[in-house]
Amino acid sequence: MEETWDTVRRLVAWLDAESAAASPEVARLLRVLKISEEAGEVAEAVHGVMGGNPRKGASHTWADVERELCDVVLTAMVALASLTPDARKRFEEHVSYVADRSLG
């Protein structure tokens, strides 16, 4: 998992460099909002799998849904790492909290 968080840190640094025109506050806000955009793409893919849009029919596969879910997870990790320098620790603490609460 450390390699994944290293990649997330590199992505945050790249986004920071590419988003130089936006203030840090705006850049963080946009990264959090990006999660909703990605979640919408998951919903679109699920509709595509289920043929929910009669005009498009079955336009996606479950593999498409998996890829879109990965985009949501990665986007959330980048947003979290943009908010706190110790995103990995914060995430691990939260996973532990949820596991303790849910699993006993």
Side-chain angles (χ1 to χ4, degrees):
M1 194 68 169
E2 184 59 36
E3 184 177 323
T4 298
W5 283 106
D6 285 342
T7 300
V8 169
R9 283 189 285 277
R10 289 181 21 236
L11 287 168
V12 169
W14 173 74
L15 285 168
D16 287 346
E18 294 295 317
S19 304
S23 70
E25 294 81 16
V26 169
R28 285 191 299 262
L29 175 63
L30 292 174
R31 290 174 198 171
V32 170
L33 292 175
K34 182 76 173 164
I35 299 166
S36 294
E37 179 184 335
E38 296 296 341
E41 291 176 13
V42 172
E44 179 180 2
V46 170
H47 275 270
V49 168
M50 306 302 289
N53 182 339
R55 186 176 52 82
K56 293 182 180 180
S59 59
H60 290 76
T61 66
W62 285 111
D64 294 324
V65 175
E66 292 169 7
R67 279 189 293 276
E68 296 299 344
L69 285 169
C70 288
D71 284 348
V72 172
V73 172
L74 181 57
T75 301
M77 291 173 81
V78 166
L80 181 61
S82 296
L83 295 175
T84 177
D86 206 354
R88 178 183 177 180
K89 179 180 178 200
R90 181 68 186 101
F91 182 71
E92 289 174 355
E93 289 171 348
H94 190 72
V95 168
S96 179
Y97 166 76
V98 170
D100 289 347
R101 183 187 68 203
S102 301
L103 304 173

